[in-house]
C-alpha cells in the first residue's frame, strides 16, 4: 500500500486553483530533423541593410501590427527573427496582440513591466512566448512571477520549470505535486531526463509513508478503547491508505479529521500530536528533489 503509486484521483487542497491551461501547455513540440528551427539568431552582417534603424514589422494572430528596431530585437531576443527575414518582409507570429504587446515591452531601452497584476492564464501565455523567442530581459521576471503561483498552480508551474530549466522552481513545487497528482499521469508530461528521477522521488515519499504508517506498530494497543480506535485510529489509517497524497497536509490528517474525538480525549490528542511530529520529520527527511534524486549515487530509499 505505502510503496505503490496511488491510482485514485487525488483530492487537491483547497488552495489549489483550477486553470483553463492544458497540462501540455509548456511542452515544446520537437522540431523536424529535416529542417532547421524557424527562428534563429543572426548577426547584422547577414542582411543587406545593416542600418541601426531598420525596423521589423510583426503581425499577431488577431491581425495587429507591431514594429521593432532590428538591433533591439537582436540584442534582447535570441530567437525572434526568422531565418528567411528581409527588410521587405513582415513576420507573422501565432501569438495574440495582447501577448505580443506585453512581450515587446521587454525589448528596447525602456523600463520593463513587472507583470504583477497578470492573471495566471495571461502570464502563462507571456511566459511561453518569452521562452520560445528567448526574450532574455523578460525571462527572469517571468520565472519569478511563475514561481509566485507555485502554491496555487503547482502542476503547471512545475512543468514550466521542468521544460525551461528552472530547477529551483521545480524543487519548490515538487512536494506539492507529488502529493496531489497521480504518478502515472504526471510522469509522461516531464522531460525524459526527469522520468527516472521522478520515480526515485516518489519512492522516497513512499518510504516516508511506510514509516508513518508503522509509527504506532508495537506489542501493545495504543488506542485506549474501541471508541478511540473507531473515532481516531481507524480514520487516520484509512486516510494514510490513500497513498503519498495523504502526506500533503499532516495537520489535516492528525488534527482536523480527528478533532471531534481528540478534543475530549487527552491520550489520543497526545498520540496524534506525536504522530504528526513524526510525519513532519519523515517528510523533511525526503529532501530536496534536485539534491536527492538527480544523482543515482545519492539516492538511498532502502531501509537502513
Amino acid at each position: 500500500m505505502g510503496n505503490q503509486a496511488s491510482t485514485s484521483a487525488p483530492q487537491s487542497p483547497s488552495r489549489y486553483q483550477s486553470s483553463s491551461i492544458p497540462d501540455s501547455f509548456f511542452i515544446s513540440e520537437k522540431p523536424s530533423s529535416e529542417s532547421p528551427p524557424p527562428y534563429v539568431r543572426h548577426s547584422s552582417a547577414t542582411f543587406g541593410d545593416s542600418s541601426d534603424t531598420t525596423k521589423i514589422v510583426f503581425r499577431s494572430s488577431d491581425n495587429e501590427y507591431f514594429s521593432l528596431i532590428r538591433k533591439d530585437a537582436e540584442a534582447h531576443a535570441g530567437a525572434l527573427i526568422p531565418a528567411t527575414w528581409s527588410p521587405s518582409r513582415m513576420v507573422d507570429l501565432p501569438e495574440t496582440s495582447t501577448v505580443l504587446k506585453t512581450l515587446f515591452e521587454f525589448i528596447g531601452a525602456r523600463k520593463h513591466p513587472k507583470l504583477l497584476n497578470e492573471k495566471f492564464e495571461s502570464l502563462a501565455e507571456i511566459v511561453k512566448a518569452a521562452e520560445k523567442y528567448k526574450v532574455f530581459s523578460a525571462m527572469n521576471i517571468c520565472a519569478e512571477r511563475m514561481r509566485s503561483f507555485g502554491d496555487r498552480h503547482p502542476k503547471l508551474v512545475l512543468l514550466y520549470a521542468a521544460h525551461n530549466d528552472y530547477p529551483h522552481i521545480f524543487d519548490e513545487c515538487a512536494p506539492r505535486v507529488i502529493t496531489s497528482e497521480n504518478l502515472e499521469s504526471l510522469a509522461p508530461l516531464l522531460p525524459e531526463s526527469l522520468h527516472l528521477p521522478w520515480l526515485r522521488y516518489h519512492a522516497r515519499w513512499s518510504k516516508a509513508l511506510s514509516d508513518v504508517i508503522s509509527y504506532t506498530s508495537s506489542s501493545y494497543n495504543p488506542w485506549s478503547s474501541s471508541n478511540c480506535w473507531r473515532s481516531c485510529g481507524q480514520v487516520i489509517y484509512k486516510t494514510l491508505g490513500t497513498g503519498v497524497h495523504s502526506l500533503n497536509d499532516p495537520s489535516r490528517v492528525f488534527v482536523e479529521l480527528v478533532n471531534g474525538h481528540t478534543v475530549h480525549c487527552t491520550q489520543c490528542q497526545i498520540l496524534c500530536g506525536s504522530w504528526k511530529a513524526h510525519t513532519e520529520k519523515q517528510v523533511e527527511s525526503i529532501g530536496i528533489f534536485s539534491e536527492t534524486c538527480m544523482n543515482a549515487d545519492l539516492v538511498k530509499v532502502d531501509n537502513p
Side-chain angles (χ1 to χ4, degrees):
M1 175 177 61
N3 291 325
Q4 296 177 351
S6 175
T7 56
S8 60
Q11 296 296 318
S12 296
S14 59
R15 66 179 178 274
Y16 292 179
Q17 297 177 0
S18 60
S19 172
S20 59
I21 298 176
D23 291 341
S24 59
F25 185 77
F26 289 110
I27 302 177
S28 301
E29 294 183 4
K30 294 182 179 180
S32 171
S33 59
E34 300 178 357
S35 60
Y39 296 93
V40 295
R41 187 168 186 177
H42 296 277
S43 65
S44 58
T46 303
F47 305 105
D49 184 353
S50 61
S51 169
D52 285 347
T53 59
T54 300
K55 290 189 176 181
I56 305 176
V57 176
F58 299 89
R59 181 168 59 186
S60 67
S61 61
D62 50 351
N63 292 314
E64 292 289 330
Y65 296 86
F66 302 85
S67 66
L68 295 175
I69 296 176
R70 190 175 107 198
K71 69 179 182 67
D72 289 337
E74 290 188 324
H76 291 265
L80 183 59
I81 304 174
T84 56
W85 179 81
S86 67
S88 62
R89 295 188 62 182
M90 178 175 59
V91 179
D92 284 306
L93 299 179
E95 289 75 23
T96 65
S97 58
T98 302
V99 173
L100 293 180
K101 179 180 178 181
T102 302
L103 185 68
F104 289 167
E105 287 178 358
F106 286 95
I107 296 177
R110 67 180 80 191
K111 190 173 182 179
H112 298 153
K114 300 294 185 181
L115 304 180
L116 295 175
N117 297 319
E118 296 289 342
K119 293 183 178 179
F120 180 73
E121 287 76 9
S122 299
L123 177 67
E125 295 280 358
I126 297 167
V127 167
K128 185 176 181 179
E131 294 290 341
K132 175 182 177 181
Y133 300 121
K134 297 294 182 287
V135 182
F136 309 115
S137 51
M139 290 163 70
N140 283 341
I141 292 177
C142 285
E144 287 308 304
R145 290 299 300 132
M146 285 294 287
R147 182 184 182 186
S148 72
F149 280 99
D151 60 337
R152 288 162 283 176
H153 300 282
K155 182 179 183 179
L156 284 167
V157 174
L158 177 134
L159 291 172
Y160 153 75
H163 288 279
N164 294 287
D165 194 25
Y166 293 102
H168 66 295
I169 299 178
F170 190 99
D171 284 343
E172 289 183 4
C173 292
R176 302 170 188 143
V177 174
I178 201 78
T179 56
S180 62
E181 298 293 334
N182 288 329
L183 174 65
E184 60 270 28
S185 63
L186 180 78
L189 298 172
L190 294 170
E192 187 174 349
S193 61
L194 292 179
H195 286 181
L196 182 56
W198 191 253
L199 290 176
R200 294 171 182 156
Y201 191 57
H202 189 275
R204 294 180 70 87
W205 279 86
S206 294
K207 181 182 183 301
L209 177 61
S210 293
D211 291 340
V212 169
I213 290 174
S214 62
Y215 177 66
T216 60
S217 297
S218 61
S219 58
Y220 69 94
N221 185 355
W223 312 104
S224 58
S225 70
S226 58
N227 182 48
C228 289
W229 166 248
R230 288 193 306 271
S231 303
C232 198
Q234 197 171 49
V235 172
I236 291 175
Y237 278 115
K238 182 178 180 180
T239 304
L240 294 176
T242 62
V244 297
H245 300 135
S246 63
L247 300 182
N248 186 288
D249 186 0
S251 292
R252 174 179 174 272
V253 179
F254 301 103
V255 180
E256 295 174 17
L257 291 180
V258 295
N259 185 60
H261 174 75
T262 56
V263 71
H264 302 295
C265 181
T266 303
Q267 182 172 329
C268 284
Q269 186 179 69
I270 294 173
L271 175 61
C272 290
S274 62
W275 203 351
K276 175 176 175 288
H278 174 75
T279 299
E280 292 170 340
K281 183 178 179 180
Q282 293 305 311
V283 169
E284 184 178 357
S285 71
I286 293 169
I288 298 172
F289 173 85
S290 62
E291 295 178 358
T292 60
C293 300
M294 292 302 294
N295 187 339
D297 294 335
L298 298 178
V299 178
K300 296 180 181 179
V301 296
D302 295 329
N303 291 322

